[in-house]
Amino acid sequence: MALFSTAPQSLCILRLSAIGDVCNAVAAVQAIQTQWPKTKITWIAGKAEAALLTPLLPNVTVIAFDKKQGFKGMKAVWQSLKGQKFDALLHMQSAIRASLLSIGIKAKYRLGFDKVRASDLQSFFTNIKVTSPQSPHVLDGFMAFTETLGLQPQTPTWSLPIANEDLTWAKDQLSGKPTLVVAPAASKAFKNWTAEGYAAVIAHALSKGFEVILAGGPGKIEVELGQAIERQLSQPVKNLIGKTTLLQLLALERHASLVLAPDSGPAHLANAVGTPVIGLYAHHNPARTGPYNWRHYVVSAYAEAIKAETGKTVDEVSWRTRVKDEDAMQRITIESVIARFDEVTEKEELL
């Protein structure tokens, strides 16, 4: 049953991290704005995520939570919300830190995941359980919150007003050729494919007339993987790893012809700006965490790795089961990624 027959005055979104999940949640928030344009929305997000959201969602009040400050950071958020009571809190993060933070958020209805998706005791912090949809995808789970509120079902879309200076910067990085942006690293090294694999695909893209740009954050994992890829190449490519802001990366991916990335934020950023993505998966089910509109282009070794690890098929394990083998990404073959590259460039007419 829908909670509201008319638009509520105010809603609070609680989704702290990570970048990819926050990108998915944006579609749910913008669905609310489309159908209830007068509803005031406040979003509590992690510090890095808030820096991304603030300029992209000008009609949403974004409050940053600094997890490094622990309880002090929670008190700072609660102080920012002093005197406010929301018609509903959308508790979209099944994590104990987020649930503890929710204690200081006043709301009549406190929506959370049902027993299918809830974990870390989230059920004790909510009074409305959102029925999980048939689809396992994270975004479909978020969209279920909007329907519980009372919105009509709608296809997820994104509208991101990237600043002109970021778009201009991104254009200046390009030569005019079709461009492949390779964002090779996730925040956790076990999610990354091999430097040799990336280099082989890059060499193939260069032979097909593509410009190739390496992109990613400033972390040690990202920087070192980018350098390892460069050492494998006989032709130079532009390496922007650690040299861009998230907003610049978003602009770069908007202008790109194609993005290649593992299960990481950049894959979902590209999805949000409508750029085709080849996602590389082995540890998580891409049906759950793949780039939403481009899941059909994923190269996945997940089913193979699950079978090797558990002796079961994907259909016989929980949809959230993670492959624990830290070498699982090495099951992805160079030939399979090159074949997918050729398929995408032909279907999307990128050349």
Side-chain angles (χ1 to χ4, degrees):
M1 180 178 175
L3 292 177
F4 300 100
S5 57
T6 59
Q9 290 188 342
S10 63
L11 298 172
C12 183
I13 310 296
L14 178 57
R15 180 72 211 193
L16 303 177
S17 62
I19 293 294
D21 291 320
V22 165
C23 283
N24 284 320
V26 165
V29 170
Q30 292 192 321
I32 296 170
Q33 291 180 308
T34 297
Q35 295 187 38
W36 291 338
K38 293 185 179 180
T39 298
K40 295 180 180 179
I41 299 175
T42 297
W43 188 334
I44 301 168
K47 191 174 179 180
E49 291 78 6
L52 176 69
L53 292 171
T54 299
L56 296 178
L57 298 175
N59 296 322
V60 173
T61 299
V62 179
I63 297 175
F65 166 62
D66 187 350
K67 66 180 182 181
K68 292 182 180 179
Q69 293 189 6
F71 184 66
K72 182 179 178 182
M74 292 186 186
K75 288 179 65 177
V77 171
W78 297 337
Q79 184 63 32
S80 298
L81 297 174
K82 189 174 182 180
Q84 295 187 62
K85 183 174 182 180
F86 299 97
D87 292 312
L89 166 67
L90 279 62
H91 185 350
M92 291 179 163
Q93 184 130 12
S94 195
I96 191 63
R97 179 188 287 117
S99 291
L100 292 174
L101 181 56
S102 76
I103 293 173
I105 303 171
K106 297 178 181 179
K108 179 179 180 181
Y109 299 113
R110 310 175 74 83
L111 285 67
F113 298 110
D114 65 6
K115 63 181 181 180
V116 174
R117 298 190 182 222
S119 60
D120 285 357
L121 306 177
Q122 192 209 40
S123 296
F124 291 101
F125 297 84
T126 60
N127 56 23
I128 301 292
K129 313 307 178 188
V130 175
T131 301
S132 292
Q134 289 290 324
S135 164
H137 200 278
V138 169
L139 175 49
D140 291 320
F142 292 160
M143 295 301 289
F145 277 75
T146 71
E147 293 176 32
T148 300
L149 288 175
L151 265 67
Q152 293 299 312
Q154 68 181 76
T155 301
T157 59
W158 291 261
S159 178
L160 304 180
I162 302 174
N164 286 334
E165 56 264 33
D166 292 323
L167 290 170
T168 298
W169 174 88
K171 285 182 180 179
D172 289 343
Q173 309 309 310
L174 308 178
S175 65
K177 295 180 180 180
T179 304
L180 170 66
V181 170
V182 179
S187 58
K188 297 177 181 177
F190 67 81
K191 287 186 176 183
N192 297 337
W193 198 32
T194 64
E196 294 80 8
Y198 281 120
V201 176
I202 289 170
H204 179 74
L206 291 170
S207 74
K208 295 292 186 178
F210 272 74
E211 175 183 18
V212 179
I213 298 176
L214 296 175
K220 182 180 179 182
I221 292 172
E222 292 97 325
V223 171
E224 290 184 350
L225 181 54
Q227 292 170 345
I229 292 168
E230 285 191 289
R231 287 194 294 269
Q232 297 281 333
L233 294 170
S234 58
Q235 292 179 255
V237 296
K238 183 173 289 188
N239 187 348
L240 297 179
I241 294 175
K243 301 175 184 177
T244 67
T245 66
L246 274 174
L247 291 167
Q248 288 174 329
L249 175 59
L250 187 68
L252 184 66
E253 292 190 330
R254 172 175 280 185
H255 283 305
S257 308
L258 178 62
V259 172
L260 174 64
D263 182 7
S264 62
H268 297 284
L269 289 171
N271 175 79
V273 293
T275 300
V277 189
I278 299 174
L280 305 179
Y281 282 72
H283 288 276
H284 292 95
N285 189 344
R288 175 178 174 243
T289 63
Y292 192 78
N293 288 330
W294 308 102
R295 282 169 284 175
H296 53 295
Y297 289 151
V298 162
V299 178
S300 174
Y302 177 75
E304 177 187 335
I306 279 288
K307 185 70 174 178
E309 192 164 279
T310 68
K312 298 178 180 180
T313 67
V314 171
D315 293 335
E316 292 173 326
V317 299
S318 167
W319 53 272
R320 69 171 76 203
T321 303
R322 180 178 76 82
V323 171
K324 298 176 182 177
D325 177 11
E326 294 200 351
D327 295 323
M329 286 292 286
Q330 295 183 30
R331 292 178 178 271
I332 296 175
T333 67
I334 291 171
E335 293 76 15
S336 65
V337 181
I338 287 178
R340 187 54 49 85
F341 174 89
D342 289 341
E343 175 192 351
V344 177
T345 55
E346 181 179 345
K347 285 185 177 180
E348 303 296 329
E349 298 182 352
L350 303 181
L351 287 171

